[in-house]
Amino acid sequence: MHEMSVALAVVDQVAEAAARSAGVTAVRSVRLQVGELAGVVPDALAFSFELACAGTLLEGAELITEAVPGRARCTPCAHEWAVGMPPRLTCPACGATHTELLAGRELRIVDVHWEDGPPHASTREPISEER
């Protein structure tokens, strides 16, 4: 499954970054940009991410995915358009096939939230049994 290799790579990269930032105790969330043309199925990625996180600093972390629509620009006439799925790579304005893909292939970690320092101790006062 392609999504499992993507999830494992994300977990490895985040774990490495956490190790470089001494004192990280847990990763709470990871936000990814996933291009429409990246060939990644979001549900399969979420499932794989949960499995890949098991037993790591990321266990229990939330995966937040942001879809990035595919966009292209025609080289001859400079027209830009949403390519959609399946992708339309011929220019809708002039019919040219010389196009540049501007967006839609992203697979990028854009944000990670983690906790650092000693684990948070409970600060609640015990409930008195006196009335």
Side-chain angles (χ1 to χ4, degrees):
M1 178 188 310
H2 169 67
E3 286 78 2
M4 181 55 87
S5 62
V6 170
L8 289 168
V10 168
V11 169
D12 286 347
Q13 288 180 24
V14 172
E16 285 178 24
R20 287 192 305 270
S21 299
V24 174
T25 58
V27 174
R28 294 296 169 217
S29 66
V30 177
R31 188 165 50 103
L32 295 179
Q33 285 182 338
V34 179
E36 174 180 40
L37 306 173
V40 174
V41 178
D43 288 342
L45 179 59
F47 177 76
S48 297
F49 181 78
E50 186 176 339
L51 292 176
C53 289
T56 73
L57 191 63
L58 286 86
E59 188 163 8
E62 176 185 16
L63 178 65
I64 304 162
T65 57
E66 296 177 356
V68 179
R71 294 208 47 83
R73 178 185 308 126
C74 178
T75 303
C77 78
H79 177 71
E80 291 186 17
W81 70 97
V83 298
M85 277 305 280
R88 179 179 181 185
L89 299 176
T90 56
C91 179
C94 73
T97 58
H98 292 64
T99 59
E100 175 187 4
L101 195 56
L102 302 174
R105 292 184 292 177
E106 293 82 358
L107 191 52
R108 180 180 311 133
I109 300 169
V110 292
D111 194 32
V112 177
H113 284 109
W114 59 48
E115 292 181 10
D116 52 8
H120 299 285
S122 175
T123 58
R124 293 177 51 188
E125 294 293 322
I127 298 172
S128 172
E129 293 182 22
E130 295 178 12
R131 292 188 185 220

